Structure formats: C-alpha cells, structure tokens
Amino acid sequence: MNRSGVAAVMMAVRGTVFRWVSEDIISTHYLTNRFTLQTQQRCGFRKVAKKVEPKKGVAEEAEQNEILHKKGVAPAPDPPTPHVPTRSFGRLVKPFVFTIGFTGCSFGGAAIWQYESLKSRVQSYFDDVKTDWMEKIRPQKQGDLRKQMNQWWNSLSDGQKTVTGIIAANALVFCCWRVPSLQRSMVKYFTSNPSSKTLCWPMLLSTFSHYSLFHMAANMYVLWSFSSSIVNMMGKEQFIALYLSAGVISTFVSYASKTAMGRFGPSLGASGAIMAVLAAVCTKMPEAKLAIIFLPMYTFTAGNALKAIVALDATGLILGWRFFDHAAHLGGALFGIWYIIYGHELIWKKREPLVKMWHDFRTRGPPGPGPGGNGSI
C-alpha cells in the first residue's frame, strides 16, 4: 500500500472523516429560516416587536372562559403541544428490511456487473488495438484539451477511476445544499433521522451528503487515498457493493442507537461507508505501516490503528458523545471487519448460482418452431 496514500488515514480518521451528527452544524429551523432573516436585513427597516403578555392564572383564565361562554363566544383553543419522538423499535422494521434487501441487491448486481465486464473484455481488447492503430496514423494535435484529459484519466489507477464517480456525486449533493429552494427536500431525503417520516431512502442518500466543505473534502481525500488498495484487493464491482451496503448498514446502526438512547436528530456524511473501507484494508493487511500525514516520523501498523479507532468510537457511543455519530462509524467499521473475515466467503464466493442463472438468461435464444423448440417437426 502506498504510504503517502494511506498516510491520510490518521489525518481524517479522527475528527474529520467521521460521520457528523448534524445537530451541531445543521438544524431544520436554521435551514428553513436563515434565508428569511437575510431578506429582512436587506429591507432597511424592522418589524415592530410583539409585546409579550404575562401568563394568566388558572382562576383568571376560567373566569374569562365563563364570560365568553355567556356571550356565546367559543374560548380560544389551547396551542398544540410539540411532537416529541417516542422510542418505538417497531419503526425500525421497515429500515431493517430495506437494509437486508438493498445489501443483497448490491452484491447481486455487482456479480452480474462483473460477469458482463468479463464477457466484454475480449471485444474491448480488439477495440483498443484498433484505437491505437488509428491514433498512430491520425495527425497529433498540440494543446488538445481532450487529449490532455484522456492522458490524465489513463494515468489514474483502477481504484481512483472507480471513486471518481462517488466524489462527483458527493460534490453535486454539496452544491444542492446551497440552493435555497431545495433546502426542505435536502433535509427530508439527504439526512437520516429515525424520527423522520421518510426512513429508507435517506439511509442511502445521506451517504453522499455533506453540509460542510471541510467534512466532504476530508472524507473524499481518505476515500481517494485508499481507493487503489481496496479495488486491487476486491475489484471495482465488489468494492462498490461493499461501499453502498456499508453506507446503509451504518445508518441502520445509527437508527438503532438513537432509538435505544432516545436521542433523535439528523445525521449525514459518508464516514460510515469510508470506515468500512478503512477497516477492510486494515483487516486484510494488518502489518502495513501507516503514518500521520503531518508527522511522518511516527509510524504504526494498520491493525493497531484500527483497534484504536474502534475503541475510540465504542467509548464515544457508551459515554454518549454527540458531536459525531459514533454508532454509524462503529457499524461501518464492524461491517468492514466482518466482510473480510466471513462475508467474502459467505456472500461473494457463493455468487455462482446467480451468475449461472444470468448467463442462461443472456444466452437463451428465442424458442424455435415445433414442440422441441429447435426447429424440428
């Protein structure tokens, strides 16, 4: 593993990579009202402040209601009480089913994707040979931007090419957070909260959501640094399945933790999925040497770094630290460890029946005339 690439782990492993609980950086009230406040400040005059009337006593309020009743006027209704989320584990059934189904579909789709990639590899080889021959006889253009982009893209490793799409998706969602008209939809679908009416799709979409530029930059830098190692180890298809599944699983663990503790609030960030990638690499190569990017003279093994990370998140979960979503980090890390030790054998190596079924479906031709379907009479 490239030391300079992996060295980023301890820069963003604590305090930057981790999934941020948005109670401290984002709230629904702030998102929906901050633009109104800015508009009022531009007007040049203020609204008259409302006078706060003193609270009436019980006897005085009863007397006023009696007078209103004699006059035939209905008393004013009591103000509605704010909704307080209850700790109902029954609400977790639907997210649990979604987690199992999405994980299965992710790895099933990755198996079919790998089959199609292998099937088209021969055709791609001949296409590449033809392209190289055409490039030799075609006159070269100096300063061609497209050519420079192609050279840059071809210089990337398979892992870096794979995570480029993930980084682009995160950047797009980050820009959507800056659009005032999208604020309500972003809070609804791109933050995960067990007390929300929308539970399932935010488990996936919040994995691509960052409200802070520093949060997104740190997460994407670590993902970029570990991309070559994880893709060389698993292949791009299996890596994508692991990344997406880890995002959903870590969010479900966060749901369960918040429901058990009664501490509800929105969360967002890719840290749960990135923790799974980090844990998978450290579990597969525990003796690899890592270093802090700003302190390269201090090195330590990947195994020891993983133990420290898990211990720190477990401590934060037990003590109730609320600045980070420690449950999501811990869920992602444990899933990454479990997948390397057991999951690869239980899931990925048993994909052959599904691939065979897909192969039969792809190669099965239309039935011919006749009872046998082969054209005979």
Side-chain angles (χ1 to χ4, degrees):
M1 182 167 27
N2 189 347
R3 171 183 279 188
S4 63
V6 179
V9 59
M10 295 312 294
M11 165 195 167
V13 158
R14 288 300 339 149
T16 54
V17 172
F18 295 142
R19 186 183 181 92
W20 291 26
V21 176
S22 55
E23 293 164 318
D24 296 316
I25 59 173
I26 174 176
S27 64
T28 306
H29 176 79
Y30 172 75
L31 289 175
T32 54
N33 292 340
R34 67 190 181 99
F35 302 103
T36 306
L37 292 174
Q38 291 174 359
T39 304
Q40 291 177 355
Q41 289 171 1
R42 293 193 194 101
C43 291
F45 57 88
R46 298 181 182 176
K47 293 183 179 179
V48 179
K50 294 182 178 179
K51 294 182 180 180
V52 180
E53 298 182 358
K55 265 192 170 180
K56 298 179 181 178
V58 178
E60 186 179 351
E61 187 176 353
E63 183 181 353
Q64 185 177 359
N65 289 339
E66 186 178 353
I67 295 173
L68 291 174
H69 179 69
K70 288 179 180 180
K71 291 181 178 180
V73 181
D78 295 332
T81 56
H83 172 69
V84 178
T86 57
R87 290 191 289 178
S88 175
F89 286 96
R91 286 177 54 83
L92 298 181
V93 174
K94 192 174 180 181
F96 177 75
V97 174
F98 178 81
T99 301
I100 299 299
F102 182 83
T103 301
C105 291
S106 296
F107 283 97
I112 295 174
W113 180 17
Q114 187 186 62
Y115 166 84
E116 293 293 339
S117 298
L118 293 173
K119 187 177 180 181
S120 62
R121 184 167 295 177
V122 175
Q123 182 63 38
S124 298
Y125 171 78
F126 287 110
D127 290 343
D128 291 341
V129 172
K130 182 179 178 180
T131 302
D132 292 340
W133 179 75
M134 291 295 294
E135 286 293 332
K136 289 179 181 179
I137 63 174
R138 182 183 303 167
Q140 301 295 322
K141 296 181 179 180
Q142 298 295 331
D144 189 2
L145 179 61
R146 184 176 178 181
K147 180 182 177 181
Q148 294 176 0
M149 292 296 296
N150 288 336
Q151 290 177 348
W152 172 79
W153 179 257
N154 293 331
S155 67
L156 300 179
S157 65
D158 291 338
Q160 291 171 336
K161 292 178 181 178
T162 303
V163 301
T164 299
I166 298 177
I167 295 174
N170 280 267
L172 178 62
V173 175
F174 175 79
C175 293
C176 290
W177 274 110
R178 269 61 200 168
V179 181
S181 60
L182 297 179
Q183 297 296 304
R184 190 178 297 273
S185 298
M186 297 301 294
V187 173
K188 182 178 180 180
Y189 293 106
F190 287 87
T191 63
S192 58
N193 190 347
S195 64
S196 173
K197 293 181 180 179
T198 308
L199 291 174
C200 293
W201 283 112
M203 299 175 71
L204 173 65
L205 297 179
S206 63
T207 305
F208 296 88
S209 179
H210 298 82
Y211 189 77
S212 166
L213 177 61
F214 180 73
H215 186 199
M216 183 188 71
N219 275 350
M220 296 302 101
Y221 178 75
V222 174
L223 178 63
W224 180 271
S225 301
F226 278 88
S227 60
S228 298
S229 299
I230 191 70
V231 171
N232 289 339
M233 188 171 66
M234 291 184 172
K236 61 182 180 180
E237 300 87 1
Q238 191 179 183
F239 159 70
I240 292 294
L242 174 73
Y243 185 86
L244 297 178
S245 300
V248 173
I249 291 172
S250 63
T251 304
F252 178 78
V253 175
S254 175
Y255 278 2
S257 173
K258 291 178 180 178
T259 303
M261 296 182 178
R263 296 178 175 178
F264 299 95
S267 300
L268 73 169
S271 305
I274 294 176
M275 283 294 294
V277 173
L278 187 151
V281 174
C282 292
T283 303
K284 189 71 174 179
M285 298 179 286
E287 299 302 323
K289 293 295 182 179
L290 305 181
I292 303 175
I293 190 170
F294 297 114
L295 299 172
M297 70 288 301
Y298 297 105
T299 60
F300 41 85
T301 63
N304 289 337
L306 180 60
K307 292 175 185 176
I309 294 168
V310 171
L312 192 58
D313 276 319
T315 302
L317 181 62
I318 295 171
L319 298 181
W321 298 345
R322 302 184 66 177
F323 189 69
F324 300 113
D325 195 342
H326 294 282
H329 303 162
L330 199 58
L334 293 179
F335 175 68
I337 296 171
W338 175 85
Y339 187 80
I340 292 299
I341 298 176
Y342 304 107
H344 182 74
E345 295 287 337
L346 294 175
I347 299 177
W348 192 250
K349 287 196 172 181
K350 294 184 178 180
R351 70 190 186 280
E352 184 177 351
L354 175 63
V355 174
K356 186 177 184 303
M357 186 185 306
W358 178 257
H359 172 76
D360 294 339
F361 173 77
R362 293 277 281 125
T363 57
R364 183 179 56 193
N374 56 3
S376 59
I377 299 177

